[in-house]
Amino acid sequence: MAEDSWGNFRRDVAVAVPPTAAAQPASPVSSRSDFRQTILRRAELRGGPEIPSPSKRRLGPKRLTCRAVQPMAAASASASARNAGETRLVDRCIDAAARGPATVEAWRRQRRSLERLPGPLADELLRRLAARRLLFPSLLEVFRYSVEEIDLSGNIAVDAEWLAYLGAFRYLRVLKMADCKNVNSAAVWTLSGMGTLKELDLSRCSRISDAGIKHIVSIDSLEKLHLFDTGLTDDSVMLISALKNLQLLDLGGIHMTDKALRSLQVLTQLEHLDIWGSEITNEGASLLKAFTRLRFLNVSWTHVTRLPPLPNLRYLNMSNCTIHSICAGDSEVRIPLEKFTASAASFGNIDQVFSSIEASLFSFLDMSGCSLSNLYILQKLKSLEHLDLSLSRITDDEIHYVANIGMNLRYLSLKNTGITSQATCVLAGTVPNLSSLSLAYTKIDDSALVYISLMPSLRVIDLSHTSIKGFTRVEANSEKTPSMPPLECLVYLESLYLEDTVLADEVIPPLASFRALKYLYLKSDFLSDPALHALSSASNLIHLGFCGNVLSNSGLLQFVLPTQLRVLDLSGCWILTGDAISTFCRHHPMIEVRHELMQELQQNRGGTSQVHKSKQLLQAKAKAVNISADASRLSGISFVDERIKYSREELMNIQDLTGSNLVLNGVRLRPELRRME
């Protein structure tokens, strides 16, 4: 009977699979049993029962010789290639089955062919149907004997009709319906008594109230329950105490009190508790010691200032709290905390707070937005890997505390702080394993780039909203020296953010030689066509953000794309017209283009381009630019948008700019608007 299911499913989707996909040389699947093995291997990848491979067999006490190792290595490589080919075949089958409404209708009538599909395969098929908006209530019935996990988060169409079908699923383990605004208390009654359901997510379903909880608490098998930002009260929270198997409970954003928390003490299996934004006080927090297995606790935006000793706690969030102690009453206990988020928090005795933490295990600290001016406690936290000090009061005088962390630091954010380029000089050579550095909204300039280049492991650098120009001068009237080339020695650099800087066209070419660069984000009032063209040789670039720049229609159409480029973000390029963008998209159908006009173009696809509307939009944008520029001059900005120097007619003329036209209608173009010959 099971063999018939494999054959039926293959037959049902065969008509939609291209002939080249049906016969892969690397993975011949010529029988039902071979296809069944393919699916089982797929199940293993998704967490299903493991199928021992030849490389996992026990070899006994005999020692392996070189002659024995070589055939095994070859067999292992062959098996890996075969598994990869089989996985691709399964993906093709699923993709074909979810190709469109006609395909879905063709196999929907073959209900038996889906009832015995393995859970991982059925889950993936349903997931693709949902992503492509091909899923509807009556189609769910086809999956009720096979699907184990369903994620309908954000689908506003989900309502009582959908839940009526979902309630009949026999083997459903995970059901996620976060942000499903039409799911209400009356609709969830169909889920009552589902004996296999382990996880239920109703986050931000605002129409779930106390009446709905009465149905949910009848699901005895629940281990994970997400109810944050719903309409629950203390009365319904107390009913949750009936779910004795709960390991994760998310009640964030619910105004529960100490009384409701007291009723939850019977949930002794609880490992994850999220009660941010509640009315819990220190009295209620003292009850948390009843949760002896608690590993995750979020009490941010509450009145809690002290916590009892929680010997198994690994993650703690006390953002926007006043923190006096995280181990009140026992100064000798050390909490094995690994991650601590204290964003915008204030501290009573910071020494007492951090002395309760086992420093050797502590790897993550978020103190963004804290008003601390002295960070001497950092010098004791040598195991830190992630440190976020953005929006804090740290200056160059305290940066040596960060430098003392040394070898283990991987992520550092100093965004929106008072540091200057001098801070990067202190950090250079002290954090050799740093892979991500954010210096956005700081006072650093081009002199910092030399010091940043001495951090050899960097993969991500954010220099947005800084004074980076791309060149330095020894003296005021001396010749410009490019400042970008030193970053070329960062052989692992993949992402570089240079948005809202004052970069000009002539400083962009060196970026094309960064060998590992995959994601580049540029935004400046002084970048135009030559800057975009200079990036054509960036061979590994996947995502290019060229937003808010002075890019003309001809500049876009003459752009030679980097070989690996997949996303081109042109948001805010105000000169571009819908016709130019549409032409570019036709010439490069594999590229995802982002621009304000894309939605209109997609709506008009297949019809005549509405040029008049595009021009109206462009004129409106030009008017908005002039208004915002006037406002910026009043606010004391040190430089103004060059675009305000032109009239509307002159700006429209720039749309038709060509390579040889340097003078249009008597208007001499600014250097930043000229294209390279």
Side-chain angles (χ1 to χ4, degrees), residues 95-111:
D95 191 65
R99 178 162 297 176
T103 306
V104 173
E105 182 61 24
W107 58 256
R108 185 176 72 89
R109 301 170 184 174
Q110 303 292 333
R111 286 184 51 189

Side-chain angles (χ1 to χ4, degrees), residues 317-351:
N317 189 339
M318 295 189 73
S319 299
N320 292 90
C321 293
T322 300
I323 307 172
H324 292 290
S325 174
I326 59 174
C327 191
D330 195 339
S331 59
E332 301 299 323
V333 174
R334 294 291 182 270
I335 302 174
L337 204 60
E338 297 174 2
K339 297 183 178 182
F340 186 22
T341 300
S343 178
S346 57
F347 292 85
N349 186 336
I350 193 169
D351 280 325

Side-chain angles (χ1 to χ4, degrees), residues 136-140 157-167 182 187 190:
F136 47 88
S138 61
L139 183 59
L140 290 171
V158 176
D159 56 14
E161 183 183 2
W162 289 66
L163 269 72
Y165 285 99
L166 293 173
N182 288 320
T190 58

Side-chain angles (χ1 to χ4, degrees), residues 48-237:
E50 183 178 358
I51 301 174
S53 62
S55 60
K56 295 183 180 180
R57 293 174 183 167
R58 296 186 60 185
L59 298 173
K62 294 182 179 180
R63 297 180 60 184
L64 295 177
T65 63
C66 291
R67 290 183 179 181
V69 170
Q70 291 177 355
M72 287 183 59
S76 177
S78 176
S80 298
R82 185 169 60 254
N83 289 341
E86 292 169 348
T87 300
R88 287 195 298 271
L89 176 60
V90 172
D91 284 335
R92 285 177 179 270
C93 289
I94 294 174
D95 191 65
R99 178 162 297 176
T103 306
V104 173
E105 182 61 24
W107 58 256
R108 185 176 72 89
R109 301 170 184 174
Q110 303 292 333
R111 286 184 51 189
R112 293 182 182 177
S113 65
L114 295 182
E115 289 177 356
R116 292 180 178 270
L117 284 183
L121 177 58
D123 294 346
E124 183 62 29
L125 177 57
L126 189 141
R127 188 177 297 112
R128 296 206 190 176
L129 291 172
R132 298 177 184 183
R133 295 292 188 263
L134 296 174
L135 194 62
F136 47 88
S138 61
L139 183 59
L140 290 171
E141 188 176 9
V142 177
F143 294 93
R144 65 174 179 169
Y145 293 107
S146 54
V147 163
E148 298 176 3
E149 298 184 10
I150 297 180
D151 188 350
L152 299 172
S153 299
N155 191 334
I156 59 175
V158 176
D159 56 14
E161 183 183 2
W162 289 66
L163 269 72
Y165 285 99
L166 293 173
F169 277 51
R170 296 288 298 275
Y171 305 107
L172 192 61
R173 295 185 299 105
V174 177
L175 178 57
K176 298 180 180 180
M177 297 187 293
D179 293 298
C180 293
K181 304 301 183 183
N182 288 320
V183 174
N184 56 28
S185 297
V188 298
W189 75 267
T190 58
L191 305 180
S192 302
M194 294 186 68
T196 60
L197 198 61
K198 301 292 184 181
E199 179 176 357
L200 178 62
D201 188 351
L202 294 171
S203 303
R204 295 182 298 277
C205 293
S206 55
R207 300 175 67 184
I208 298 293
S209 62
D210 294 355
I213 289 298
K214 296 177 181 178
H215 305 302
I216 294 173
V217 296
S218 67
I219 311 174
D220 297 332
S221 58
L222 276 181
E223 296 177 357
K224 298 180 180 180
L225 181 58
H226 305 262
L227 294 169
F228 81 86
D229 268 355
T230 54
L232 304 188
T233 65
D234 268 9
D235 293 336
S236 53
V237 170

Side-chain angles (χ1 to χ4, degrees), residues 442-490:
T442 62
K443 300 176 182 178
I444 68 164
D445 55 24
D446 292 86
S447 62
L449 299 183
V450 174
Y451 302 117
I452 293 174
S453 68
L454 300 177
M455 305 175 192
S457 300
L458 279 175
R459 294 179 179 271
V460 180
I461 303 176
D462 189 353
L463 302 174
S464 300
H465 296 270
T466 60
S467 299
I468 300 293
K469 299 178 180 179
F471 61 86
T472 57
R473 294 180 187 269
V474 178
E475 297 179 359
N477 297 322
S478 63
E479 187 176 351
K480 296 178 181 179
T481 302
S483 60
M484 292 293 181
L487 296 181
E488 188 175 354
C489 68
L490 299 176

Side-chain angles (χ1 to χ4, degrees), residues 20 41 45 60 79 106 109 200 244 344 347-348 352 368 491 506 510 534:
T20 54
R41 289 192 181 95
L45 293 175
R109 301 170 184 174
L200 178 62
K244 297 296 194 296
F347 292 85
Q352 182 180 356
S368 57
V491 296
E506 60 267 22

